Structure formats: C-alpha cells, structure tokens
Amino acid sequence: MSIPGPGGQGLQLTPFRGLRYVAERVGSLAAVTSPPYDVVVRPEGLRELETADPYNIVRLILPQAGTPEARHRQAAETLRRWQADGVLAPDPEPALYVYEQRDGPTLQRGLIGALRLSPREEGIVLPHEEVMPHIVEDRADLMRATAAHLEPLLLAYRGNGNGTSGNGASVNGAAGQGTGGAAQVIERTILREPLLSTTTEDGVDHHLWRVTNPADLVEVSTDLRHHQALIADGHHRWATYLRLREERREPGPWDFGLVLLVDTARYPLRVRAIHRLLRRLPPDQALPAVRRAFRVRTIDGPLPHALETLAEVAEAARAEPGAPNAFLLAGDGRFHLLDRPDPELLARTVPDRRPAAWRTLDATVLHHTLLDHLWNVPDTPEHIGYLHDPTAAVEQAERLGGTAVLMHPVREDVVHDLARQGVAMPHKSTSFGPKPATGLVLRSLTLG
C-alpha cells in the first residue's frame, strides 16, 4: 500500500521517550504484561492478570472501580504513583523501538513509534471497521485522565524490500536481503543486544530494541513517507486519538498516537474471527427463530471439530452461488450449524447501498438479519459481548444461559479491498495478529 507520487506525506513515524517498567522493581516483565484491553477475557482473565503481579498493566488499561469516573481516576493515580515509586521510568532520549515476537514458527517484527494522526480522507491510515461510540468515549476518558497511550495499535503496511517472511518463506527474492529503508534498519538493529527480552505465559518470546541513530531515523522516515497503512487492530483507540486531537487547538503530543507498524510483505499477519456472546438470549429461543430462514443442523463436537466443520462449510459456500454465510451456535451443550440463508430475507434486511463484498460479510448478515430482525437483540454491552477466544465464548454462554455465535474469519484481501474503497465493515469483524503485548513500552504525553 503505497502513496502515489513523490509528494505524498504518507506515514510519519516519530521517536518518543518510551515509558517502561524497571525490571528490578517488578517480579518479571512477563508478569506485568497483558493482552490488549479488548482481548482480556473478563472476569477470569482480568482476575488472573491482577494476581500475576501487583504492577500488572491491566490495572491501568482496565481499572476496577464502581463508576467510570472512579476507574479512570484510579488509573491516573496508579500511573502517577508507579512513576513516583520508580516502577515505571522514561527512557533517556526519544527513540523508535524495534519489536519482535516469536511464537513457534511465526516471527513478526515491526517498529513502535508515535505516528502523526490523519483523518480517513487523507488516505494515509485506512480503517476497515466501524466503531462503537461508548467504547471510544471510555477510552477517551481514560486517555484524558492518564495523559498517556498505554498500548500500541497494530498497523499493517506493504513494504518494498526483499527478505524472509514471518513464516520463513522468501518474499520477492532471495531470503535475507533488503533494499534499505525501514526493513534494513530493523535487520541491522536486531543484531545488537536487545533492550529487553521476556517470554509470556502463552509461550511467545518478546524482544525490544531502541533505534536512536539519526541516520537510521532518517532512513525510516524517508521510506515510510511513501506508504499508507491499514488499521489491523485498534480502531477504537485510533478513533479516540482523533477525537482527543480535535479537542486541542495547539500542535503538540496529542497530534501523534502510539502504534506498532508491521511490514506485511515480510511478516504476514494472521486473520481470526471475533465471536459474539448473546448474554440474554438462550439457545432454545435463538434456534426456533432462525429455522425459518436458515438451514440448521446439529453437528458433533468437541469444539475444535465443530469449528473445523464450520470452516469447511464456509469455504465451500464461497465457491457456490448464493449467500456464503455460515455460523455456529452453542450454549446448550451442543453445536448448531447455520447456513444457506433465505435470499429474500437477506434482500429485505441487508442494506443494498454497499458493495456486494460488504453485503455478504458474515458480520453484516449477523447484525442486520439475525440480531436486528430475527432475534431483536440490541447491540449494547448488556446484551452482546465480543470475545476473541471461542472456548471462552462457549463457556460463558453455558454459564450465563446465553448463546455463543461463533464466526469464520474474513479473508484478508476482502478487508483491504473494502478499506481502499472507504467502506467500513461492521465493528469487531476481524482479529488481526499477532497482537503486541501491552506493557512493554508506554507513551506519556507529558514527555512528548
């Protein structure tokens, strides 16, 4: 994804003074990290992280108190106390950070920095999902209170260099070779001793390096200004960045947002689904309503086998005429496969002023046909939860007496095509990864 013409501003990634944990003050760096705030499974995952270390970052990104105001005030006070006590300390000079994740055969490297914010119409940073206003408001209140960016967004761009991909495959030429720019700076930087290294509980190895050499910073800047990026993960935080920037008339640190920028020509991201938990709709009410409009079959478990069946049906449906949509419902101890929706019902319930690729998305059909029309479930936190882990979705549905709707991932090319057209997918349509661990480097807006 390149900006046409030599005059395009493109991506402007700037150094900042990272705020990081002081290793001697915490039990371990792994124990103070967390997944992104919207991936933490609540309440079990939240409780596990809180007990892992008294300084776990979850106390900042998901503070617990009786009211939203109290939560945000508590996060701000905690952040100030940890800095005063020397638990968190700023790096001595501004830097970009090379970040590496290794998960078995999967390797991902990218650059963490402060990215100049730009609205959608500039075509530099492309969102692909709609956002939920109440989440943006909550994140904005938290950022105002803490004056900090606590976790980086994940942005993807397509670089021009040769090299090996995250799965070890050669990309556009001989493995291990680069053509300068950001890719070459990363390859040179990782030859040095890392600033920090840790292995999180999920077995993923994390390494971080600082880039402060002026020539390296210029090389990165010159390269990135010719590119645009897709928001892979963090639409609500990006919308929050833009909102808070608009509140301030004078240029300053709020004009930039904390991001991890990954060249997917070298390190391809994986795309997974985000599942829905219908807290107040039991399966014995959900299933009769959909039998009139979908083919419904009970299939064998356990969950991995049921998900394999969903994948097989979904992939086969994409090659056949008609709607390709398929869903897996759970919550009553069984698995129910929904496919072959009624075309007439889709024509009545799905808006027709969008491209066909948008109208046939599973998330589009789920929200417009199933949730709005057949089930009458409002899209509010009291009624719908969004979970990345299918096991957690099924377990919570069974415990609450609700219904889990398990989804099949969207193809990455569909995401890119819709983003280039300026068409937003329904919120929580995709989960790109690997996601950066939260807590390795923060950005304080009082430091610049």
Side-chain angles (χ1 to χ4, degrees):
M1 290 184 288
S2 298
I3 299 292
Q9 289 185 334
L11 300 166
Q12 297 182 41
L13 193 69
T14 65
F16 69 103
R17 290 181 66 194
L19 187 64
R20 297 188 299 107
Y21 281 99
V22 177
E24 295 77 16
R25 295 300 310 276
V26 298
S28 72
L29 290 175
V32 296
T33 63
S34 164
Y37 78 99
D38 58 339
V39 180
V40 176
V41 178
R42 287 169 272 191
E44 295 92 343
L46 183 61
R47 191 178 304 114
E48 181 179 338
L49 290 165
E50 286 179 331
T51 57
D53 190 283
Y55 300 116
N56 189 281
I57 193 69
V58 77
R59 288 180 167 79
L60 300 181
I61 62 172
L62 291 172
Q64 300 300 294
T67 66
E69 295 79 8
R71 290 198 298 271
H72 304 139
R73 184 170 58 251
Q74 177 178 294
E77 292 171 352
T78 300
L79 179 59
R80 283 193 294 269
R81 185 174 66 253
W82 288 359
Q83 292 182 81
D85 293 345
V87 175
L88 289 168
D91 280 335
E93 60 182 319
L96 296 180
Y97 296 84
V98 172
Y99 177 46
E100 177 185 285
Q101 294 165 276
R102 286 184 180 269
D103 183 9
T106 300
L107 170 65
Q108 179 173 284
R109 293 185 183 124
L111 286 166
I112 295 176
L115 185 71
R116 185 186 74 87
L117 303 180
S118 58
R120 173 67 181 84
E121 51 268 24
E122 288 189 14
I124 297 172
V125 176
L126 304 178
H128 71 269
E129 287 185 355
E130 298 169 350
V131 297
M132 293 178 279
H134 72 278
I135 295 181
V136 175
E137 187 60 43
D138 177 75
R139 292 295 102 181
D141 288 342
L142 179 63
M143 286 187 198
R144 288 190 199 97
T146 59
H149 294 157
L150 303 173
E151 46 188 338
L153 283 64
L154 176 60
L155 269 61
Y157 78 105
R158 300 284 293 181
N160 303 317
N162 298 331
T164 54
S165 74
N167 296 319
S170 177
V171 179
N172 299 329
Q177 296 178 359
T179 58
Q184 194 63 27
V185 170
I186 289 174
E187 295 304 316
R188 290 198 300 266
T189 301
I190 62 171
L191 299 177
R192 305 198 306 261
E193 189 72 18
L195 182 67
L196 66 84
S197 297
T198 190
T199 301
T200 45
E201 191 177 63
D202 56 6
V204 178
D205 296 325
H206 306 263
H207 306 280
L208 197 72
W209 294 262
R210 263 197 302 257
V211 179
T212 57
N213 181 281
D216 288 341
L217 296 175
V218 169
E219 191 170 350
V220 169
S221 176
T222 302
D223 180 13
L224 294 182
R225 72 184 181 189
H226 299 293
H227 295 284
Q228 62 183 174
L230 177 79
I231 300 177
D233 185 70
H235 283 81
H236 289 89
R237 283 167 284 163
W238 181 259
T240 301
Y241 289 167
L242 294 177
R243 173 183 293 192
L244 296 180
R245 185 194 65 170
E246 291 171 0
E247 294 176 358
R248 289 157 175 81
R249 297 184 179 182
E250 297 297 326
W254 296 88
D255 293 336
F256 298 81
L258 183 65
V259 305
L260 166 64
L261 196 58
V262 173
D263 177 359
T264 56
R266 298 170 65 85
Y267 304 105
L269 299 177
R270 59 174 181 249
V271 187
R272 292 178 176 171
I274 301 177
H275 312 287
R276 275 60 171 168
L277 169 64
L278 311 183
R279 306 181 195 277
R280 301 183 181 180
L281 182 70
D284 61 4
Q285 293 181 23
L287 288 166
V290 298
R291 292 187 191 280
R292 304 189 303 269
F294 286 76
R295 181 174 69 170
V296 181
R297 292 174 286 164
T298 300
I299 61 174
D300 295 332
L303 178 58
H305 178 267
L307 289 171
E308 288 177 5
T309 303
L310 172 64
E312 291 168 0
V313 169
E315 293 298 334
R318 287 170 176 169
E320 298 175 358
N325 311 107
F327 309 92
L328 191 65
L329 268 58
D332 60 354
R334 296 177 294 174
F335 298 100
H336 310 276
L337 182 66
L338 279 58
D339 67 347
R340 298 186 182 179
D342 177 7
E344 294 184 2
L345 177 63
L346 296 183
R348 294 198 312 272
T349 56
V350 175
D352 61 359
R353 296 183 180 180
R354 299 284 186 94
W358 181 90
R359 297 197 305 271
T360 55
L361 288 169
D362 285 341
T364 299
V365 172
L366 172 61
H367 282 266
H368 288 276
T369 303
L370 287 166
L371 295 174
D372 292 350
H373 183 77
L374 295 177
W375 290 333
N376 295 311
V377 174
D379 194 358
T380 63
E382 295 77 19
H383 289 86
I384 303 179
Y386 295 85
L387 289 89
H388 294 70
D389 183 0
T391 301
V394 173
E395 290 176 350
Q396 290 196 31
E398 292 178 345
R399 186 175 69 250
L400 297 173
T403 298
V405 182
L406 306 182
M407 313 277 283
H408 184 61
V410 182
R411 296 197 316 274
E412 185 175 357
D413 63 312
V414 173
V415 178
H416 285 274
D417 288 345
L418 288 173
R420 291 189 192 100
Q421 297 177 59
V423 178
M425 300 166 65
H427 53 257
K428 301 296 183 181
S429 293
T430 62
S431 175
F432 280 87
K435 302 180 190 299
T438 298
L440 295 181
V441 60
L442 290 62
R443 177 175 180 247
S444 169
L445 288 117
T446 62
L447 295 171

